[in-house]
Amino acid sequence: MNALNDLKVRRAALAFILITAVLDIVAMGIIIPVLPQLIVEFVGSNADAGWINGVFVALWAGMQFICSPIIGSLSDKFGRRPVILISCAGLALDYVLMALAPNLWWLAVGRIIAGITSSSFTTVFAYMADITEPAKRAKAYGLIGAAFSGGFVLGPVLGGFLGELGPRVPFWVAAVLSGVAFLYGLLVLPESLTADKRMPFSWRRANPVGSLILLKRHAELAGLAVVNFLLYFAHHVFSAVFVLYAGLRYGWGPIQVGLLLALVGLLDMIVQGGLTGVFTKRLGDRKTMVLGLIGGTIGVGLMGWAPTGWAFIAAMLPNALWGLAMPTLQALMTRRVGEDEQGQLQGANTSVGAIAGVLSPLFFGWLYTHSTGGGFGGLAQRVESWLGDGPPARLIVGGLYDPGLSFYIAALVLLAAAVIGWLVARQASRDEATESSSSGLDPA
């Protein structure tokens, strides 16, 4: 609608989309402290719950991989508003289904439906691109990140306290919140994509593999897609094993987990909403992205080492810098595509994250099950037979039985992302300097 060209309407649209995002994220955050515990009730073992929870997260991400580009392309054709509204309604119904789940199969179906309906978060980013100038998108995406973090401040706390009333109570409350988000959006959310900027629906762009073709268009875009994959891969260590790890190592229940996740969300909100603009203004998007990845590397590594709950909490401080990486990464990528392809780009980005979301929880869930349960079968004995009983063998064998092993591996993944991000940023800066120099010599 052309009304979005008006500054006041644009600001109102920004407020609407942020509030809607907060309501949906609160609903999602409410179930985080209790879903793994519900799985433990069904299977009877913390270690076995690790790989099952990993499978559930992978199912959710698999649906994101399949549906995100489809939904992104549909939003390019029909507009952002109807996609967001359908998502909110679908999530509300899905939480009701999971609240009634009598067994793991029902929960699995619920996670599949949640993956489909949550795919519209790509549309939230596309909506923000519609109403924001390219030069201001890093800050705008930081506001979205802050809104998501704000939802995760409130959601897990509510989930932790509600979980004390029963593991299914948070699902009912989540259903109500998603229903409120739907009604709020239905009444006040304006359309952001004008008719002249819409694109015909194309299965070539909407299929999960076809949408990734967009990421090959430019060298920096392709390199940043790799960074995006690694970032998502490392981040899923939390969705796959954190609640189980915290319960096993520190004896934390739903309330403690909820409060800690709220603190994580608060720190993310401060970094993404308040510091992203400061850092990008001083360092630029590329250097800020690399700084965020390095901070995440340090923080996640310390979380795996932390011998006490207080040490784990202290590790959250450097980890909070990780919040600088995503908005700057998003901003850099949006500059390499046209205005009529922002929905497709966000769909492709979410597909990349979904691929990581399928592989990462399966990997980290498997890793957690073995590091806390069986120690990878006879691998420890083979290491001792190869290396003897010296310090290297003891270090490796101890690591195989360390419940923090998943966090150590995630830290290494983030370190690789930081190195690749730095290399991509350096090459992109050189290319831009060369282009600028060449254009300066052009007499035209």
Side-chain angles (χ1 to χ4, degrees), residues 7-134:
L7 181 59
K8 290 183 178 179
V9 177
R10 187 176 299 182
R11 287 177 175 172
L14 175 63
F16 295 155
I17 198 65
L18 292 178
I19 292 172
T20 302
V22 167
L23 288 172
D24 267 348
I25 293 299
V26 168
M28 294 178 67
I30 279 178
I31 70 170
I32 291 176
V34 295
L35 180 59
Q37 297 301 325
L38 190 58
I39 295 172
V40 171
E41 286 189 11
F42 281 128
V43 301
S45 166
N46 181 287
D48 288 340
W51 74 266
I52 293 174
N53 190 53
V55 170
F56 278 13
V57 176
L59 285 173
W60 182 88
M63 292 301 100
Q64 290 250 310
F65 172 67
I66 295 170
C67 297
S68 289
I70 297 175
I71 290 176
S73 292
L74 286 173
S75 77
D76 284 339
K77 176 176 173 58
F78 297 106
R80 319 301 187 197
R81 184 175 184 270
V83 171
I84 293 172
L85 293 179
I86 292 171
S87 168
C88 292
L91 279 172
L93 295 174
D94 178 60
Y95 291 132
V96 172
L97 173 67
M98 288 192 287
L100 298 171
N103 53 50
L104 286 175
W105 291 107
W106 277 52
L107 281 180
V109 171
R111 298 314 292 159
I112 290 171
I113 296 174
I116 295 171
T117 52
S118 297
S119 296
S120 69
F121 282 125
T122 61
T123 309
V124 171
F125 284 98
Y127 191 107
M128 189 64 79
D130 293 339
I131 64 174
T132 310
E133 297 173 5

Side-chain angles (χ1 to χ4, degrees), residues 290-380:
V290 174
L291 175 64
L293 292 169
I294 292 173
T297 299
I298 296 171
V300 173
L302 290 174
M303 288 176 180
W305 163 82
T308 66
W310 287 111
F312 189 97
I313 293 171
M316 292 164 54
L317 295 177
N319 184 71
L321 292 176
W322 192 354
L324 297 172
M326 181 55 77
T328 48
L329 177 62
Q330 289 276 352
L332 288 168
M333 298 184 83
T334 60
R335 295 176 193 169
R336 296 299 181 183
V337 302
E339 294 301 309
D340 60 348
E341 295 175 314
Q342 293 298 328
Q344 185 186 354
L345 172 63
Q346 298 306 329
N349 277 341
T350 304
S351 289
V352 169
I355 294 172
V358 171
L359 300 177
S360 175
L362 293 174
F363 172 72
F364 285 122
W366 169 84
L367 201 64
Y368 178 83
T369 293
H370 286 285
S371 63
T372 59
F376 303 94
L379 181 58

